Amino acid sequence: MAIRLGDEAPNFTIDTTDGEINFHDWKDGSWAVLFSHPKDYTPVCTTELGYTAKLKGEFDARNVKAIAVSVDSVESHNGWVADIEETQGTAVNFPIIGDPDRTVADLYDMIHPNADNTLTVRSVFVIGPDNKVKLTLTYPASTGRNFDEILRVIDSLQLTAEKQLATPVNWTPGDKVIVSPAVSDDEANERFGSFDAPKPYLRYVDAPAD
Ligand code: BEZ
């Protein structure tokens, strides 16, 4: 069955390029981005994994761990990472799950038979410290994902989790944010100072500094 927002992220123990991992133990209370790619030694995937490696500093700053998966073996991944380093100018600094038995692919419904019978699509699951799924994305094999967008969503998710703030259309960090409808006016005043309310249900505030 498809995984939906708010569901517990299924746990698994599996071999990766960093050795055997129990997913929940490896996460250890941090945020995680679990993302699948269709196949090793393919062009779009090579660029995606290289770019994700370059974002390590951004992920670390947000307490996020990245982990990739495809139905190729760890042996195959270990050969391919040399090509990623050579062509993308960065070493792969996160684990890649070997999933030839489709353990993770099946748990997370990453094979969409009407797209391809055997290969994983480009799925993304952002999982919170509570191991609950906060975001799902699905892209076809031919479209590389925008990992800057994934970072932007994580910033929004963390504002919601930590400060009960929401983010408006096309928000980027530094823009005004929105007070969640669950927060009363009195509480909003207390927590954020004054707010700008063009409508009673539309309340903007500056994003509080940490
Ligand atoms: C790619 O990563 O370039 C790719 C993988 C599978 C199918 C199509 C493209």
Side-chain angles (χ1 to χ4, degrees):
M1 199 178 88
I3 292 180
R4 295 186 280 201
L5 301 189
D7 289 354
E8 169 107 350
N11 197 21
F12 50 82
T13 299
I14 204 152
D15 199 18
T16 80
T17 50
D18 288 1
E20 188 176 271
I21 277 178
N22 174 278
F23 183 54
H24 286 182
D25 290 348
W26 170 84
K27 258 186 93 261
D28 193 25
S30 65
W31 292 73
V33 177
L34 169 66
F35 66 105
S36 57
H37 61 274
K39 200 169 170 45
D40 292 357
Y41 296 102
T42 52
V44 176
C45 302
T46 299
T47 62
E48 285 190 331
L49 269 72
Y51 194 78
T52 304
K54 287 181 183 162
L55 291 180
K56 180 166 173 46
E58 299 290 342
F59 285 134
D60 286 350
R62 293 163 175 81
N63 188 29
V64 178
K65 293 181 174 176
I67 186 165
V69 58
S70 79
V71 291
D72 299 292
S73 65
V74 167
E75 190 183 8
S76 167
H77 297 329
N78 280 333
W80 180 41
V81 293
D83 286 3
I84 297 173
E85 181 164 357
E86 181 189 326
T87 61
Q88 308 304 303
T90 181
V92 174
N93 46 28
F94 52 85
I96 312 175
I97 295 165
D99 196 24
D101 297 333
R102 305 184 183 188
T103 303
V104 177
D106 286 343
L107 272 175
Y108 282 81
D109 197 25
M110 291 166 163
I111 294 177
H112 296 195
N114 290 328
D116 190 295
N117 240 332
T118 53
L119 303 181
T120 37
V121 292
R122 295 188 196 281
S123 299
V124 181
F125 295 87
V126 176
I127 300 160
D130 57 0
N131 289 343
K132 297 287 195 302
V133 174
K134 309 296 182 186
L135 171 92
T136 65
L137 286 175
T138 308
Y139 276 45
S142 51
T143 304
R145 288 156 288 196
N146 184 334
F147 281 77
D148 293 332
E149 166 63 6
I150 292 168
L151 275 183
R152 188 192 75 92
V153 174
I154 290 168
D155 284 336
S156 173
L157 290 169
Q158 293 188 342
L159 272 173
T160 304
E162 292 157 18
K163 307 206 167 84
Q164 281 187 283
L165 290 166
T167 54
V169 60
N170 292 346
W171 173 85
T172 55
D175 294 349
K176 287 203 180 282
V177 294
I178 287 175
V179 180
S180 163
V183 175
S184 70
D185 283 356
D186 286 349
E187 195 182 343
N189 271 321
E190 194 178 308
R191 290 173 55 181
F192 309 116
S194 60
F195 54 82
D196 176 27
K199 292 285 177 190
Y201 57 83
L202 180 57
R203 299 169 297 173
Y204 292 104
V205 291
D206 291 323
D210 280 339

